[in-house]
Structure formats: C-alpha cells, structure tokens
Amino acid sequence: GAVVSQHPSWVICKSGTSVKIECRSLDFQATTMFWYRQFPKQSLMLMATSNEGSKATYEQGVEKDKFLINHASLTLSTLTVTSAHPEDSSFYICSARPPGLAGVADTQYFGPGTRLTVL
Amino acid sequence: LAKTTQPISMDSYEGQEVNITCSHNNIATNDYITWYQQFPSQGPRFIIQGYKTKVTNEVASLFIPADRKSSTLSLPRVSLSDTAVYYCLVGAMNTGFQKLVFGTGTRLLVSP
C-alpha cells in the first residue's frame, strides 16, 4: 500500500522556538496532503489542507501565521510551528491521497505522526 | 460531510468476534464508508472501505444495510493486538480531494 513518512518522529523544543515537521509520500505523488493535530485521548482534528503549488487551506480557528505549511513538491509537505508554546505540544499527523482512479473511493494514507513537546 | 456516531468504548476477550456499529443518517449518495484503526502514538491505518452490502478483506468485514444509514465493522476472533481506537468516516467518491472529519471513534479493549 501507499506509504507516508514523517520526520522527526518526536521533537522537544524550548518555548519561543520554531519547529519544522516533514511529511513525505514515498511511493506516490500527492497533490494534496492534510495536517492533523491530536491531543491525548482525543480524536484527530484537521488543521489544514496542503496543496502543491498553492497556498494551504486552513480550518476555522487554526492560525495560519503560526502553523506555516509549504507543499513544495508532489511528495513533500512541511508544517512549521512558529514561536512554539507549551500549549502547542501535541501529536501532529499528516496524510496524503494517492492519485485517484475513476470510480474509486477516496482513500487517504497517514504518516506515523510527530510528537511535539514544548518546554 | 456526513456526521458519524459510534460507541465510545467496547470491551471484548481474545478469540471473540467484535462488531462495532456506526450511524451515519445523513450519508449522501456518493459517500463511501471507511474505517481506520489507530494505535497509541501512531497514525491511523486504513482497514476497510465499502459502499453497500458487504465487503470483506483479510482483516475485517464491513456490513452495510440497504438504506446505508449505518454500517458495522466486524473483527473476527480478536487478539490483544486489536486493542485500538476504531474510526468510522464517510466521504465522497473520488471527485477531487476530500478532507476527512474524524468523530470520537470507538476505543476497543481486548482482554485475555
């Protein structure tokens, strides 16, 4: 099946610093990738839709200036948490959708996630 | 996007069959039903997807009644490693990108 990777798998940073998380589709090209955030014992919350070659689309309540998304190529999207604070500590997960086939339902494949801890 | 409702949690024992039902009363004609499994500190993993009637793969079966307002994920002979959160989602057929909205999921605990 389609494989999506994330790097790093975990990161610890000081408050006020910026952290970049990479999401890669390893064996397919993805024009669209998605970024989610998940707090302990809670469900995944969609943060934004990352579109290759254009600006990301953010969900309501997500600060676009704080969570910078760059979809520079068909296999790479990055999420940068700027000026991170302890409340940004969470599990960040990306997903990607392989190119679709006519009549085939939409299926997304998820990365393994990145655990961010802000001290 | 159709909203889904699932039980918050379920308990089972090894070797038993587990059925998790999901309600999606507002499912649209073009919507498919997809189930994901998530272990702690991992991304969700695709389990099964269907449109109507019954779908079976090596991991699970998915039962969808004629009105499609609900669906049931069936896990045969569960083991301890099936302890996870299971999410039911509905979304349109491939017409472009489709963002997924996750509900609360069902936390399955399998005991010895």
Side-chain angles (χ1 to χ4, degrees):
Chain A
V3 179
V4 176
S5 70
Q6 282 184 240
H7 178 79
S9 56
W10 60 270
V11 57
I12 301 173
C13 69
K14 293 182 179 180
S15 185
T17 61
S18 295
V19 174
K20 179 185 286 188
I21 302 170
E22 294 185 346
C23 176
R24 294 182 184 273
S25 55
L26 298 185
D27 50 3
F28 65 95
Q29 293 183 333
T31 55
T32 303
M33 292 184 175
F34 302 87
W35 287 96
Y36 297 82
R37 179 167 53 180
Q38 186 175 34
F39 293 107
K41 302 293 186 183
Q42 294 186 22
S43 184
L44 285 77
M45 289 191 333
L46 179 65
M47 299 175 66
T49 302
S50 172
N51 303 298
E52 189 269 336
S54 64
K55 292 183 179 180
T57 304
Y58 291 82
E59 294 298 302
Q60 189 174 8
V62 178
E63 300 176 56
K64 62 181 181 180
D65 293 330
K66 181 170 184 61
F67 299 99
L68 301 179
I69 291 173
N70 187 322
H71 197 144
S73 75
L74 288 173
T75 59
L76 173 64
S77 175
T78 60
L79 168 67
T80 301
V81 183
T82 63
S83 187
H85 291 284
E87 57 265 30
D88 298 323
S89 298
S90 188
F91 192 53
Y92 292 86
I93 308 170
C94 71
S95 72
R97 178 182 160 278
L101 299 174
V104 177
D106 187 44
T107 301
Q108 292 182 23
Y109 294 90
F110 289 81
T114 297
R115 175 77 57 192
L116 170 63
T117 301
V118 185
L119 302 177
Chain B
L1 298 172
K3 181 179 177 180
T4 60
T5 303
Q6 306 173 231
I8 296 295
S9 64
M10 293 182 69
D11 295 321
S12 184
Y13 293 96
E14 281 189 293
Q16 290 190 333
E17 178 184 76
V18 172
N19 296 308
I20 306 174
T21 298
C22 177
S23 296
H24 28 79
N25 292 319
N26 297 323
I27 190 169
T29 302
N30 285 345
D31 283 343
Y32 267 62
I33 300 156
T34 309
W35 285 79
Y36 287 87
Q37 175 193 55
Q38 186 183 27
F39 297 112
S41 296
Q42 294 186 28
R45 182 176 75 104
F46 172 86
I47 301 176
I48 197 166
Q49 185 177 70
Y51 183 79
K52 62 180 179 181
T53 62
K54 176 183 176 182
V55 179
T56 298
N57 62 22
E58 64 278 5
V59 177
S61 294
L62 179 59
F63 299 91
I64 306 169
D67 66 6
R68 303 199 329 119
K69 294 184 182 298
S70 67
S71 59
T72 299
L73 173 72
S74 181
L75 304 173
R77 297 179 298 281
V78 294
S79 64
L80 297 178
S81 61
D82 292 317
T83 293
V85 179
Y86 293 82
Y87 294 98
C88 159
L89 295 96
V90 293
M93 292 173 61
N94 182 34
T95 57
F97 79 88
Q98 173 70 48
K99 64 180 183 181
L100 298 178
V101 177
F102 282 78
T104 58
T106 297
R107 192 172 298 272
L108 173 65
L109 175 62
V110 180
S111 300

